[in-house]
Amino acid sequence: MSDRPDLRLSDADREEALDALSEHVRTGRLDIDDFGDRSAKATAAKRRSELAALFADLPAPRPSVLLPTAPPPVPAPQSSGALATPWRAGFAVPIAAVLLVGLIFAASRVVFFPGFLIVPLIIAFVIFNRRRR
């Protein structure tokens, strides 16, 4: 049953209770007199606890409002940006290395820029493209 037995019932909850009681009559668990008494109480019920008393000695079927509620699902842990997008980690080191060397050359006013520093960028690009396929 719900952890809040004093919540008010809806018309649909009362109809579902009457359907469940009808099923118990069809299977022989309740006689017509007992059904009449319980159905009158179910129709007049205002709170879940009032319905619970009517179904205390009966097995399934029960109205869904009396069924145990499942705990809310645990949200999946959020993955960090580095794990969610591994290509960023593959590009970060080569780009940082090229930028660092570029800044060093720019600070020392050397005009020569070594082309071999582009190689890590090309390798990272190729690896990234293979992973995407």
Side-chain angles (χ1 to χ4, degrees):
M1 189 168 105
S2 171
D3 56 345
R4 299 176 62 189
D6 288 331
L7 288 179
R8 295 183 68 87
L9 295 170
S10 68
D11 290 339
D13 294 334
R14 285 186 279 275
E15 281 186 42
E16 190 177 359
L18 292 173
D19 291 342
L21 289 172
S22 297
E23 179 61 27
H24 288 298
V25 170
R26 280 192 287 276
T27 58
R29 289 189 188 96
L30 295 176
D31 61 15
I32 294 296
D33 293 331
D34 200 15
F35 171 76
D37 183 44
R38 290 186 194 215
S39 62
K41 289 178 183 176
T43 303
K46 301 233 185 285
R47 308 219 179 264
R48 290 178 183 181
S49 57
E50 295 172 49
L51 274 188
L54 300 176
F55 286 88
D57 62 339
L58 294 172
R62 293 172 166 255
S64 60
V65 71
L66 298 180
L67 298 177
T69 56
V74 177
Q78 295 293 330
S79 60
S80 67
L83 293 177
T85 54
W87 66 269
R88 288 183 184 168
F91 276 114
V93 173
I95 290 173
V98 170
L99 289 176
L100 179 63
V101 172
L103 287 174
I104 291 171
F105 279 107
S108 64
R109 296 179 188 211
V110 174
V111 179
F112 172 72
F113 183 78
F116 69 88
L117 293 177
I118 302 294
V119 172
L121 286 173
I122 294 171
I123 291 172
F125 182 74
V126 169
I127 290 171
F128 170 69
N129 281 336
R130 285 187 181 171
R131 285 186 185 171
R132 280 183 69 183
R133 293 180 194 171

